[in-house]
Amino acid sequence: MLGAGLLGLAWAVPVGVAALGLVLLGATFIALALLVKGLGLRHGVARARLRAALAETIALDAAPGVITDRDGEIFYLNDAARARFAAASPGGTLVSAFADLFAAPATLVYRLQNKALATGAAREDVVLRQGHMRLSVHRVGQQGFLWRCEDIGDRLAAGQGGEAISLPMMTVAQNGAILFMNEALRRLLGGRETTLDRVFGELPLRPGENHRITGAHGPVSVMPVEVPLTGGRREIYLVPDARQHRVGPGEWGVLESLPLPLLRLNRDGAITMATARARRLLGDDAVIGSHLADQLEGLGRPLSDWLREAWEGRNLGRIETMRASRAEERFLQVSLEHYHDESGPALVAVLNDATELKSLETQFVQSQKMQAIGQLAGGVAHDFNNLLTAISGHCDLLLLRHDEGDPDFADLSQISQNANRAAALVNQLLAFSRKQTLRLDRLDLADALGDLTHLLGRLVGERVQLSLETGAAIRPVRADKRQLEQVLMNLVVNARDAMMPAGGKIRLVLENCSLDRPLARDRAVVPPGDYVTIRVIDEGCGISAELRAKIFEPFFTTKGAGKGTGLGLSMVYGIVKQSGAFVFVDSVEGSGTTFTLYFPVYREDLVARTGGSADAPAWQPDGADAAPPRDLVAGAAPAPNGALAAVTEGLPRPTHGAPPRDGGIVLLVEDEAPVRAFASRALRLRGFTVLEAESAEDALKTLEDESLEVDVFVTDVVMPGMDGPTWVSEALRRRPGVRVIFVSGYAEDSVSEHQNRIPNSVFLPKPFSLTELTETVSRQLH
């Protein structure tokens, strides 16, 4: 229209050049309009051809098939869909077609359609008012959807004469509402019920025990058997009470096809019948004819005694948890009931898979054990770090008055080095209990392992060959470099010991790894994503399956007396878990062992969005990196044959010259008198004025003098009475400009939370040296 108007205007314009311009402009608009119309016609023809091809494909499908657009309007139905959905027709909507089948069809259609838009296809099983239907949808192009509706039904087995036979069954929601009842249950009750409490007079249900319900023809005794579904739903099957009903010879075939694990036992305990589900749970297709004691173990007493009590009517319905002998790591809950048929009395064993429950129970027990040991380790580490701070601190004070030519200098150096070794052992306790302080940084593992390999090569000795294999373009991770080095050092030392005295080869393999689906193994799940893996592969004696389940437990070791603390691998586990990574072990006895570490790839864009820092530890505020690194390799395990000396040889040693003078007023709050004495003398030697307090209450009392100026608070975290963060928060209300240094034997989670809310605060872990203390105070002051 615009092009035609411009042409008409051109005839009315008297000027030749202007009229010619309008003619050209109008012709351009007309050409564009024709092109767009032609493209639209071609797109419509292609879409029509696609729908016609799909219609031809599903025309003879026995299941109902429907093609709709994005708004749910129906374009095509095959013959099966026309017969199944009376309200459906081209031009109508899929929601109206489903309106008579189940509640809230619009919600279901919208949910499945959105899933199909995201993933290409979606499927869901729907409970109908009568029966079940499997509804699947596939995306077709950008605007179309192909729906397929498959009836599942509620008939479970066919009897003689073609008549369908089924156990009474219902589907129940988590809140007790009955979503579905099959025809057998409706006949038994004489109608449909809406809630579980209207069927059973006594709740909760006790699976494996008889319950009395009111049927259409009077009271009926039944045994409910539950099958869990997704979303908290469950299917409940009602098995007739064997004491009131004699099962016909053909009725066990009905049970065969049910999703119920049932066994029939004779008086000798032999299995005479078993459903398909029971055979799968036991892991033995030839279960019939075997004795129950050959299939189950772990009752804690002879299985024959349990069966004899059941025949006598004792402990019927009582649930026992046992392990399936012929299925790997599968636990079953088993209950026994009396049963009668034409062949005589028998016992029925009702099975239930309890593997996941047992796994959760094991994890809970392990978690409780680790928590208890962790609390003990944390307390021991805290007290030991106070002692080591006093020992190493006073040793540093003595070294200030002795140079290398002094006869006592060598003895004092030995005291200092052994104090550092003791601190390393305490650090292992903190590592496996996950209470150590990590300084997480962006780390290039290729460079880190390249530097570490030379050091480890000296550690493993001449009989062991150590090699590093690095993949291309290794991506960065976020980890504590010192602790990662300690992890690899422990793994390499263990690998070396496993190959002695013959020796062998240890391979460190560094690679990128992408998981497109969760990796589930060893009771852990690695989420999908990008990772960098480190594998430590040896050619040693391997680890048996029994020992593999215990190797990460603290104080567990297979080495002889005096050759291992049992903390090495538990420390590895603690550091890896605290870093947000994963560790797995694979081993074949006689062929070697492989430890695999999964570290998540570090993403700077994610850190930028969350406001984090790539360089600062996650638990510290800005500037909290004041504590310098230890002089020795932190956390190094005491290695045999002087290995630790070989590792630390060539590392920088602390200098013990006279410290430079400084100034400032420091309020020192420490309940341990030896630590307070050392810290006070060290700070005074540096030129600071030191005010001492042995408790938080004494510190607050000292600060009541408003004329007293204080520049820095140096306070212990854990003290009797009021703790460090609490009194500091109170003191800063009146003295907001004072800097704060927290010291502690270990960093608790609550400390970091308090510290994040206290401005100008840093953390200094114990044991600290004279130089570390004075330099930290000096940095805070200036």
Side-chain angles (χ1 to χ4, degrees):
M1 295 297 293
L2 180 59
L6 290 173
L7 288 177
L9 182 62
W11 289 109
V13 176
V15 182
V17 176
L20 180 59
L22 290 173
V23 169
L24 293 175
L25 184 59
T28 301
F29 274 107
I30 291 173
L32 287 174
L34 292 174
L35 178 60
V36 170
K37 183 176 181 181
L39 290 175
L41 289 174
R42 290 179 59 189
H43 181 69
V45 169
R47 185 169 53 186
R49 288 177 178 173
L50 178 59
R51 288 175 180 164
L54 287 173
E56 184 178 354
T57 302
I58 67 173
L60 300 179
D61 192 353
V66 183
I67 300 176
T68 68
D69 65 2
R70 193 165 185 169
D71 297 326
E73 181 180 349
I74 297 174
F75 285 96
Y76 174 79
L77 301 92
N78 64 3
D79 293 339
R82 294 176 188 273
R84 182 70 174 83
F85 309 122
S89 62
T93 63
L94 192 63
V95 172
S96 61
F98 291 158
D100 295 333
L101 297 178
F102 53 87
T107 302
L108 176 64
V109 171
Y110 179 75
R111 181 171 65 249
L112 289 179
Q113 191 166 286
N114 281 345
K115 288 183 180 178
L117 282 174
T119 62
R123 187 183 72 177
E124 188 168 326
D125 291 346
V126 185
V127 179
L128 308 179
R129 291 186 170 90
Q130 291 185 353
H132 296 70
M133 181 176 70
R134 179 162 295 162
L135 188 61
S136 59
V137 57
H138 299 264
R139 189 178 65 193
V140 179
Q142 297 298 322
Q143 302 294 328
F145 296 91
L146 172 61
W147 299 80
R148 191 171 187 272
C149 315
E150 181 183 358
D151 281 317
I152 302 175
D154 64 349
R155 299 301 174 93
L156 299 174
Q160 296 178 355
E163 181 183 358
I165 303 174
S166 63
L167 281 179
M169 184 273 290
M170 69 183 82
T171 303
V172 182
Q174 190 171 12
N175 61 1
I178 298 177
L179 304 175
F180 167 74
M181 296 173 63
N182 68 352
E183 185 63 29
L185 183 55
R186 286 195 290 270
R187 287 198 305 266
L188 177 63
L189 299 178
R192 193 182 189 283
E193 296 292 352
T194 56
T195 58
L196 197 61
D197 58 1
R198 293 177 64 87
V199 177
F200 295 94
E202 183 181 353
L203 292 176
L205 295 181
R206 302 180 301 278
E209 297 186 16
N210 291 318
H211 291 66
R212 188 169 294 275
I213 64 174
T214 302
H217 304 288
V220 180
S221 180
V222 295
M223 182 178 67
V225 179
E226 297 185 4
V227 177
L229 304 174
T230 59
R233 297 180 298 141
R234 51 187 170 149
E235 288 181 347
I236 301 177
Y237 294 86
L238 305 185
V239 180
D241 186 353
R243 293 170 294 185
Q244 295 185 358
H245 177 70
R246 296 180 62 85
V247 180
E251 292 190 46
W252 184 269
V254 177
L255 303 179
E256 167 69 19
S257 60
L258 291 177
L260 302 175
L262 302 175
L263 301 176
R264 182 182 184 277
L265 310 173
N266 63 15
R267 282 194 173 272
D268 297 328
I271 300 173
T272 58
M273 292 183 181
T275 62
R277 175 65 173 159
R279 295 195 298 271
R280 286 196 297 271
L281 282 180
L282 293 173
D284 186 3
D285 289 332
V287 65
I288 296 176
S290 64
H291 196 279
L292 187 64
D294 298 330
Q295 301 291 338
L296 299 172
E297 61 184 21
L299 181 62
R301 58 186 176 123
L303 206 65
S304 57
D305 291 350
W306 182 46
L307 295 177
R308 185 177 63 254
E309 290 177 358
W311 278 108
E312 295 171 356
R314 290 185 291 154
N315 296 324
L316 288 175
R318 179 178 176 179
I319 297 175
E320 300 284 357
T321 302
M322 290 173 275
R323 190 173 69 87
S325 305
R326 302 180 183 181
E328 184 178 356
E329 289 300 320
R330 178 170 294 162
F331 292 87
L332 302 175
Q333 290 180 334
V334 187
S335 62
L336 298 177
E337 290 291 343
H338 282 155
Y339 176 81
H340 293 267
D341 61 16
E342 293 182 355
S343 61
L347 285 178
V348 170
V350 182
L351 312 181
N352 184 40
D353 191 350
T355 305
E356 185 175 354
L357 179 64
K358 194 70 174 178
S359 176
L360 290 174
E361 179 185 346
T362 303
Q363 291 181 42
F364 177 74
V365 171
Q366 178 72 5
S367 174
Q368 291 291 95
K369 181 171 66 174
M370 292 295 291
Q371 182 180 1
I373 296 178
Q375 290 176 348
L376 173 63
V380 170
H382 180 268
D383 292 341
F384 264 82
N385 279 330
N386 278 326
L387 295 174
L388 292 172
T389 301
I391 293 171
S392 61
H394 284 91
C395 185
D396 288 346
L397 291 173
L398 288 172
L399 284 170
L400 290 176
R401 300 196 298 270
H402 298 76
D403 56 24
E404 295 186 5
D406 194 293
D408 295 331
F409 183 83
D411 295 335
L412 292 173
S413 297
Q414 281 294 321
I415 294 173
S416 179
Q417 291 180 16
N418 281 281
N420 282 332
R421 290 187 63 182
L425 184 60
V426 172
N427 206 33
Q428 292 184 54
L429 290 173
L430 295 176
F432 90 79
S433 62
R434 305 188 207 175
K435 289 187 177 181
Q436 65 177 345
T437 302
L438 293 185
R439 290 180 171 86
L440 302 176
D441 297 308
R442 183 183 184 277
L443 197 60
D444 187 333
L445 289 180
D447 292 342
L449 265 66
D451 297 337
L452 182 63
T453 302
H454 299 290
L455 187 66
L456 295 177
R458 299 164 59 189
L459 177 64
V460 297
E462 298 179 355
R463 295 186 180 180
V464 176
Q465 179 183 357
L466 180 68
S467 65
L468 174 63
E469 303 171 19
T470 304
I474 299 298
R475 303 177 68 178
V477 301
R478 194 162 187 256
D480 186 319
K481 183 178 179 180
R482 293 181 302 131
Q483 298 299 337
L484 177 61
E485 290 174 348
Q486 184 59 47
V487 165
L488 295 174
M489 187 181 301
N490 275 276
L491 294 178
V492 169
V493 167
N494 281 349
R496 177 202 65 185
D497 294 343
M499 295 188 297
M500 287 305 196
K505 183 176 181 180
I506 301 175
R507 296 167 54 210
L508 297 180
V509 182
L510 181 63
E511 294 176 319
N512 292 323
C513 173
S514 294
L515 299 178
D516 55 0
R517 65 184 64 184
L519 172 62
R521 57 166 298 183
D522 299 347
R523 297 181 184 144
V525 178
V526 184
D530 296 326
Y531 296 86
V532 177
T533 62
I534 305 174
R535 286 185 293 156
V536 181
I537 307 170
D538 65 54
E539 300 172 346
C541 57
I543 307 173
S544 67
E546 181 182 357
L547 295 182
R548 281 202 302 271
K550 301 179 181 179
I551 59 173
F552 292 119
E553 293 183 3
F555 309 112
F556 176 80
T557 179
T558 58
K559 299 179 181 179
K563 295 184 179 180
T565 62
L567 290 174
L569 288 180
S570 61
M571 184 199 66
V572 168
Y573 183 84
I575 292 175
V576 169
K577 287 297 182 183
Q578 195 175 359
S579 303
F582 299 85
V583 56
F584 300 107
V585 57
D586 298 283
S587 184
V588 178
E589 289 189 76
S591 300
T593 301
T594 299
F595 283 87
T596 305
L597 311 177
Y598 285 81
F599 284 89
V601 168
Y602 175 72
R603 294 181 54 190
E604 296 185 10
D605 57 336
L606 183 61
V607 174
R609 287 199 303 269
T610 56
S613 170
D615 300 320
W619 56 268
Q620 289 183 326
D622 292 338
D625 56 348
R630 301 293 303 163
D631 298 324
L632 297 179
V633 178
N641 302 324
L644 183 64
V647 172
T648 57
E649 184 180 349
L651 293 179
R653 290 290 191 268
T655 57
H656 299 287
R661 304 292 293 176
D662 212 322
I665 300 175
V666 178
L667 176 57
L668 174 64
V669 186
E670 171 61 63
D671 62 304
E672 290 286 338
V675 177
R676 188 172 66 250
F678 150 65
S680 176
R681 286 184 58 190
L683 292 172
R684 287 192 175 101
L685 286 173
R686 185 66 182 261
F688 294 102
T689 300
V690 181
L691 306 174
E692 298 183 31
E694 64 179 0
S695 67
E697 291 76 10
D698 288 347
L700 292 175
K701 188 175 182 179
T702 301
L703 294 175
E704 290 177 357
D705 184 359
E706 297 184 357
S707 63
L708 182 65
E709 295 185 1
V710 178
D711 300 309
V712 181
F713 294 152
V714 178
T715 177
D716 195 5
V717 173
V718 180
M719 296 181 292
M722 190 180 298
D723 61 21
T726 302
W727 84 260
V728 168
S729 298
E730 185 174 336
L732 289 180
R733 295 172 186 169
R734 290 179 294 177
R735 299 172 181 264
V738 179
R739 301 272 176 164
V740 181
I741 299 174
F742 290 110
V743 297
S744 181
Y746 62 89
E748 296 176 330
D749 294 338
S750 58
V751 175
S752 61
E753 292 298 326
H754 281 289
Q755 187 185 349
N756 288 332
R757 294 193 293 267
I758 295 177
N760 303 321
S761 64
V762 296
F763 184 83
L764 179 62
K766 294 179 181 178
F768 49 78
S769 66
L770 182 150
T771 304
E772 289 171 344
L773 174 63
T774 56
E775 288 186 355
T776 302
V777 173
S778 199
R779 276 196 294 268
Q780 279 292 82
L781 184 63
H782 299 298

